[in-house]
Amino acid sequence: MKFWRCVFCFSIVVVTARAHAVGENIIDAVMRSDFVFDRNVSNVPFFPVGYLGGNVQGGIELEDCGPESCELSLQNYSHALGLPVWVGQKNMILLGETLDYETIELNVPGGENQKRTIKTAGGMLAWVGQPSTSIQVGAFYYYYSGFDFGKSIDHPWGSIGGGGFRYRHRPTFHTYWGLVGINEQSMQTYIPYIGFDLYLGKKWSVSALLPWPAISYAPNKHSIYRLGAIYSTSQWVADGETELDVKSISQVNVGLSYERQLFSMLWGEVGAGYSGFGRYSIEEQGNVEFEQNIASTPFIKMSLNIRP
C-alpha cells in the first residue's frame, strides 16, 4: 500500500500547516491569526508545500528467481502541491493534489522484458485548527486513482483519511499524535501515528516523522544537508488467472541529500543513497499469494521544492 501518501497528507495537516502560507494575502492572514509556527528557532527550512522530482534505480535483483538472476529497474517522477485556501483566526482549510508517473521493467534472462507504466493522480481536503498556544489539530481526506486514458481497470485506487494533533512542549520541541485509516482496493487498514521534531540550536534538527525520519544540518538559511530515510511503494493491478491481482514493490531508501535555495521560495535538491528491505509481492483478495525479497541497490534523486 502507498503508506507514504497517508503520511504526506498527515504532515500537511498537523506538521506543516505553517509551510502552506504561500502568497502575500495568505501570509498576512496567517500572521494575523492565532496559529503558532515557531518560525525563527532554526535555519532548517519548513517542509515543502510543493515539489517536482525524480528517482532512478537500476539493476535491482530479485532473490530466488531461479537458476538465473532477474533484475528490476525503477523510474519515478512525482509532483505534489498543497495550499491553504481560507485562513481564519483559529482555523484554516487546505487543498492539495499529487501526480505520479512510474515505470517498472523486469528483465528475465531468456524471456521477454516486462514493462509497466503506472500513472496516478490524487486530491486532498484538510482542516487545521489552533485551539490553544500548545495544541494544533487537524483532519484530512485524500483520494487517489490510477489513470490510463480510457482504460477502466488495471490501475491502483484508494482513499486515506485521518486526524491528529501536534503538542508544543516548547518552541524547539513538538510531538505528533494521530490515527490514519487507509482504504486501498477495498482493503481497510488503521495505523496510529506518533512522531516528534527537535531543534538543536540554529543549525541542527532531528525529525522522527515517518516515513521520512532525518537528521538535518543547515549552516545558514539558504542551504541544508540531510541524512534520512523514506519508505516507498509502487502498486499496480494485473490480470490473474481468475481475477485481478494487486502487485507491489516496497523498499526503504536511506541516503544523503543537499538542498539549496535557488531564488525566493524555490529550492533545488540532489541526493543519493542505498535502498534495502525490499519486497515484491502479489495479493489476491487481500491475501499474499507470492512474496520475494529484493536485493539492495543504489539510487539517485533530484527535485525542485517550494519552501515558504
Side-chain angles (χ1 to χ4, degrees), residues 106-148:
L106 176 62
N107 301 315
V108 181
E112 295 185 1
N113 292 351
Q114 302 175 25
K115 189 173 183 179
R116 197 69 172 189
T117 299
I118 309 167
K119 292 162 281 190
T120 311
M124 181 207 70
L125 172 65
W127 159 79
V128 182
Q130 186 84 48
S132 70
T133 303
S134 300
I135 297 178
Q136 192 173 100
V137 297
F140 74 92
Y141 178 79
Y142 171 77
Y143 178 83
Y144 74 88
S145 176
F147 62 93
D148 202 6

Side-chain angles (χ1 to χ4, degrees), residues 156-221:
W157 61 267
S159 63
I160 304 167
F165 69 93
R166 183 196 74 174
Y167 186 79
R168 180 178 183 259
H169 300 266
R170 56 182 184 271
T172 57
F173 180 56
H174 312 87
T175 55
Y176 303 85
W177 311 82
L179 180 67
V180 175
I182 306 170
N183 179 19
E184 292 185 319
Q185 309 296 149
S186 300
M187 296 179 290
Q188 293 186 346
T189 307
Y190 294 93
I191 301 174
Y193 188 90
I194 301 175
F196 73 87
D197 57 38
L198 174 65
Y199 296 97
L200 305 171
K202 280 284 188 177
K203 298 181 179 181
W204 291 90
S205 76
V206 178
S207 173
L209 299 174
L210 297 175
W212 15 249
I215 299 174
S216 301
Y217 172 69
N220 52 61
K221 290 185 176 294

Side-chain angles (χ1 to χ4, degrees), residues 243-256:
E243 59 181 65
L244 296 178
D245 296 332
V246 179
K247 297 185 178 181
S248 63
I249 297 172
S250 62
Q251 54 190 349
V252 178
N253 296 335
V254 180
L256 179 67

Side-chain angles (χ1 to χ4, degrees), residues 33-53:
S33 72
D34 292 341
F35 284 93
V36 179
F37 302 138
D38 297 321
R39 294 180 60 92
N40 299 316
V41 300
S42 175
N43 291 339
V44 178
F46 295 149
F47 187 84
V49 304
Y51 63 83
L52 174 65

